[in-house]
Amino acid sequence: IMEHEQSRRLGKRCVILIVIVVLIVIGAVVLGLTLKSGFESTFLSRCEKFSQYDCKELWDLFQQAYVNKDPCNVPVEAYNPLIAAAPFKPQCNKMMFWSKTKDVVHGFTAKRKDCFVTLEDTLLGSVLDDLTWCGKEGSKDTFTTGCPGWSECENNPVRSFWICASAAFADVACGDVTAMLSGSINTPFNPESIFASVEVPRFKSPRIKKLDVVMVIQKNAISNCNHSSLKNLMQALDKGITYSCKDVSKSRIQECGAKPEIACGACW
Ligand code: JS2
């Protein structure tokens, strides 16, 4: 009797154990299935701030550009379907470009979207700003570490995206466009930059009437509107587009950012 009782209890324990293990496995599978990668949930949560888009569709189109591909073999065109699904809208006389002034520019546009918008204020620009991603051949996952750096190889997923997005953004620019360049570096208009190599060549007259350069002057300024590289910019600019350049102190830009009562045109 005792033995029978014991084996019965043992049997019962085994069953309970098996049930617990099965439940844990099911739980893990479900969790695995539902748990989006950290990157995917960042993409979707940032995207959902823009109501009129199907973020799941954009996520699928985005992944198709680099997933299961050699992270040094993702060409710029790979992102065309994504850009086509969330096209940039022309915002004449409000589009701001920049080079080596990211923080000053976004510090301003974050508060004065009534004046100017940058690529990073659009859906795709804001969703992917400051993120790193890549794929690997033979894997369906998105990696955020172990990805090639910006200049490690030409066709890397991040670089190709920003070149593709910058080109599309410049293609819809219209009216008077503005570009914030840095007086703190010795080549404000650097031919290697995305602004010089991708965006300026797409500034076409009569779509674009004028390019207003705002040279951001800080205490450590070593350049200004008279810098020789800006002559290269004037030469590179499509004939028919008027050019202007103003040296503007960083504090004036921040003041205008903080005071919406200052009219956009009165900022500098
Ligand atoms: C990596 C990023 C990020 O006019 C601007 C914007 O429209 C931009 O997209 O391109 C221009 C700035 O690029 P440029 O002239 O090469 O200046 P930079 O200061 O050297 O900025 C390089 C990076 C620009 C692309 N980019 N790249 N990771 O998070 C990221 N965000 C942006 N915009």
Side-chain angles (χ1 to χ4, degrees):
I1 303 291
M2 275 301 288
E3 265 140 43
H4 173 64
E5 184 50 32
Q6 263 173 346
S7 59
R8 219 172 56 73
R9 259 205 304 279
L10 198 58
K12 218 164 140 204
R13 274 209 210 102
C14 288
V15 169
I16 292 166
L17 207 59
I18 292 164
V19 168
I20 290 169
V21 169
V22 168
L23 284 176
I24 289 169
V25 169
I26 292 169
V29 169
V30 169
L31 210 61
L33 288 173
T34 54
L35 245 187
K36 293 181 180 55
S37 71
F39 187 93
E40 180 177 356
S41 46
T42 303
F43 184 105
L44 295 174
S45 60
R46 290 182 177 188
C47 178
E48 265 124 31
K49 292 196 181 78
F50 297 74
S51 53
Q52 71 278 29
Y53 288 94
D54 173 346
C55 294
K56 196 69 191 78
E57 185 221 354
L58 292 179
W59 169 247
D60 295 342
L61 285 171
F62 173 70
Q63 286 188 97
Q64 282 158 30
Y66 61 89
V67 164
N68 192 17
K69 290 199 179 133
D70 167 356
C72 278
N73 187 14
V74 175
V76 170
E77 306 71 47
Y79 291 99
N80 287 347
L82 174 68
I83 303 274
F88 299 115
K89 292 185 186 55
Q91 300 182 59
C92 300
N93 309 324
K94 288 190 65 177
M95 296 170 81
M96 173 79 84
F97 297 83
W98 50 274
S99 199
K100 299 285 187 292
T101 54
K102 190 175 185 181
D103 301 341
V104 174
V105 162
H106 293 145
F108 180 85
T109 59
K111 300 190 202 97
R112 299 298 306 265
K113 286 199 177 34
D114 57 317
C115 299
F116 297 104
V117 291
T118 67
L119 170 59
E120 296 72 31
D121 298 310
T122 66
L123 174 124
L124 291 178
S126 63
V127 165
L128 293 163
D129 203 16
D130 296 330
L131 298 182
T132 296
W133 64 91
C134 66
K136 279 192 180 53
E137 285 169 306
S139 165
K140 61 172 183 34
D141 292 341
T142 294
F143 300 87
T144 56
T145 56
C147 297
W150 183 271
S151 38
E152 202 174 318
C153 56
E154 179 93 13
N155 287 331
N156 73 67
V158 174
R159 180 179 179 150
S160 289
F161 168 75
W162 288 107
I163 290 174
C164 191
S166 301
F169 191 63
D171 283 339
V172 299
C174 50
D176 297 355
V177 298
T178 302
M180 268 194 194
L181 303 183
S182 172
S184 308
I185 58 177
N186 48 34
T187 313
F189 181 66
N190 174 337
E192 308 297 307
S193 69
I194 289 181
F195 176 62
S197 61
V198 175
E199 295 168 332
V200 169
R202 286 174 170 78
F203 292 170
K204 296 292 182 211
S205 169
R207 169 169 53 91
I208 290 181
K209 303 274 179 292
K210 193 161 179 280
L211 170 63
D212 295 321
V213 170
V214 173
M215 187 64 74
V216 180
I217 304 298
Q218 305 184 51
K219 281 186 283 314
N220 63 356
I222 55 176
S223 311
N224 60 25
C225 283
N226 304 323
H227 189 274
S228 59
S229 69
L230 294 175
K231 296 196 182 30
N232 305 340
L233 170 52
M234 286 186 256
Q235 260 127 33
L237 210 49
D238 187 26
K239 302 303 162 262
I241 298 178
T242 314
Y243 169 88
S244 83
C245 183
K246 280 195 188 122
D247 294 325
V248 183
S249 68
K250 181 178 177 183
S251 52
R252 173 62 183 163
I253 294 169
Q254 290 168 331
E255 180 196 10
C256 194
K259 297 182 180 160
E261 68 275 15
I262 300 175
C264 299
C267 283
W268 41 74

